[in-house]
Amino acid sequence: MLSFTYESLPARIKFGRGTIASLADAIEEVAGTRALLLSTPQQTEQAREATLPAEGQIVGHFDGATMHTPLGVTEQALDVLKQTGADCVISFGGGSTIGLGKALALRTGVPQIAIPTTYAGSEVTPILGETVDGRKTTQRSPKILPNVVIYDVEFTLSLPPALSGISGLNAIAHAVEGLYARDTNPLVQLMAEAAVRTLATSLPRIMAAPQDIEARSQALFGAWLCGTVLGSVGMALHHKLCHTLGGAFDLPHAETHSIVLPHALAFNAPMIPEAMAALRRALGTEDPAGALFNLGRTVGAPASLKALGMPEAGIQTAAEQAVKNPYWNPRPVEFEAIRTMVARAYAGERPVEG
């Protein structure tokens, strides 16, 4: 007999092609009149052009967002928010920009409108990861959740195929852990399995034909599902390791997730038979961890943490931090086993179950 708790997150989702035309209405929906636009330096011009439908409601642009949401950057953005008198924020971009919007909302209560241009999925989660002095910590709060998300598939067409693949693998990691989270439930498991299947099918199509609008739409839909899973349940060892590695060695977020994903899954596989069965269905294989490792090679993701610039001594550091205040995990988090797993990910070896 089923018994579970499921709480639906209260965000408004606008999904389709050309949905950016609704931006001005979205600002009104959150009771905003003076919006601060956020982006990374690399997306400055794209952000300004994309948000022209609401040009008259935008009073400033902070384009200093960066990965892992360092506290110093958030403080700079807070100054701009105060100087402009903005009463809402528009986060245009991937996880770095959306994370900055969340950090501002947490501190000031301003409503957020997120316009994702990658497959990160963080736009639909009440979760914020911040970095201070090389250590990344996460927190969860209703204040962190964006109020409106505008998914416009047009903005993903310019995402290079390699970045599309890495971003998509990052999203898949959320769904995979959602399948065996301590507080998972049947609705989350349905979304997670569908998300993995959708992204695993669409990402190779994008690599072959980057302008395939249907493949892009499916990938964006899959990313939304993955983010919804991440926002609905707690995470486990995979996310603990990635936060540790990202904060300690300033490794790129999505690439780190794509590398760690198959290894963390293989580590937990003996303890999660139902999740493995769902992944076998979603991926059409008896070896889900191996299939995810292969998908990484198909989409051109780096295979090793070494390739990202992590020092070999980081294997020991990551294992030590992973066993300190560990997230819940279906398999006990023991130092030697974690060290061995991180070493394989460092070297770019294939994942090994058990």
Side-chain angles (χ1 to χ4, degrees):
M1 180 176 176
L2 293 177
S3 178
F4 62 90
T5 299
Y6 174 73
E7 183 174 350
S8 180
L9 299 175
R12 181 184 295 272
I13 306 298
K14 302 187 179 189
F15 191 103
R17 188 175 187 180
T19 48
I20 192 61
S22 66
L23 178 58
D25 291 339
I27 294 172
E28 293 181 2
E29 287 171 15
V30 300
T33 58
R34 298 171 60 82
L36 175 63
L37 176 62
L38 307 175
S39 75
T40 61
Q42 296 81 9
Q43 289 189 292
T44 298
E45 293 305 318
Q46 186 186 14
R48 289 175 179 170
E49 292 176 6
T51 55
L52 285 175
E55 184 178 18
Q57 296 157 287
I58 296 174
V59 295
H61 183 185
F62 179 83
D63 62 357
T66 191
M67 64 182 182
H68 306 309
T69 321
L71 179 60
V73 172
T74 298
E75 291 173 341
Q76 293 173 28
L78 276 170
D79 288 340
V80 176
L81 185 73
K82 294 173 184 176
Q83 291 166 11
T84 58
D87 56 12
C88 63
V89 295
I90 301 170
S91 303
F92 182 93
S96 297
T97 304
I98 291 166
L100 177 59
K102 290 177 170 182
L104 296 178
L106 181 63
R107 288 164 172 81
T108 67
V110 294
Q112 308 167 68
I113 299 165
I115 308 170
T117 61
T118 70
Y119 306 127
S122 61
E123 64 277 357
V124 286
T125 75
I127 303 167
L128 171 63
E130 297 182 288
T131 304
V132 181
D133 298 329
R135 186 173 295 273
K136 187 171 184 178
T137 58
T138 61
Q139 55 185 310
R140 181 185 290 258
S141 167
K143 297 178 181 178
I144 293 170
L145 182 70
N147 304 76
V148 178
V149 182
I150 298 176
Y151 287 103
D152 192 328
V153 69
E154 293 281 355
F155 297 135
T156 64
L157 291 172
S158 60
L159 187 66
L163 292 180
S164 299
I166 293 168
S167 178
L169 282 168
N170 175 32
I172 288 174
H174 307 331
V176 168
E177 283 217 318
L179 282 168
Y180 58 80
R182 176 167 50 179
D183 52 350
T184 193
N185 60 67
L187 291 174
V188 164
Q189 290 167 337
L190 283 172
M191 287 188 285
E193 183 176 339
V196 173
R197 180 182 297 109
T198 300
L199 278 163
T201 301
S202 58
L203 292 178
R205 290 174 57 191
I206 291 171
M207 298 301 295
Q211 299 302 302
D212 184 338
I213 194 72
E214 182 57 31
R216 291 285 188 178
S217 179
Q218 286 297 305
L220 195 58
F221 177 67
W224 171 37
L225 290 175
C226 289
T228 302
V229 168
L230 176 64
S232 300
V233 295
M235 293 289 107
L237 174 64
H238 169 92
H239 281 75
K240 172 67 173 182
L241 275 175
C242 289
H243 293 158
T244 295
L245 293 166
F249 307 110
D250 199 32
L251 302 184
H253 179 86
E255 288 87 340
T256 303
H257 276 268
S258 69
I259 293 168
V260 172
L261 169 60
H263 296 281
L265 176 61
F267 176 84
N268 282 322
M271 306 299 293
I272 51 170
E274 291 184 3
M276 293 301 289
L279 290 170
R280 291 187 188 101
R281 292 192 298 269
L283 296 168
T285 177
E286 290 300 307
D287 180 16
L292 291 172
F293 183 86
N294 292 341
L295 181 59
R297 310 293 73 74
T298 297
V299 302
S304 69
L305 295 172
K306 181 179 181 180
L308 298 185
M310 176 179 140
E312 188 169 5
I315 298 172
Q316 182 81 6
T317 301
E320 289 174 352
Q321 291 193 20
V323 299
K324 290 180 181 178
N325 301 315
Y327 292 11
W328 174 89
N329 194 65
R331 177 179 172 180
V333 178
E334 298 171 342
F335 175 79
E336 286 301 331
I338 297 299
R339 192 185 189 286
T340 298
M341 182 188 69
V342 175
R344 297 189 70 86
Y346 173 80
E349 299 173 1
R350 291 188 65 82
V352 175
E353 289 190 17

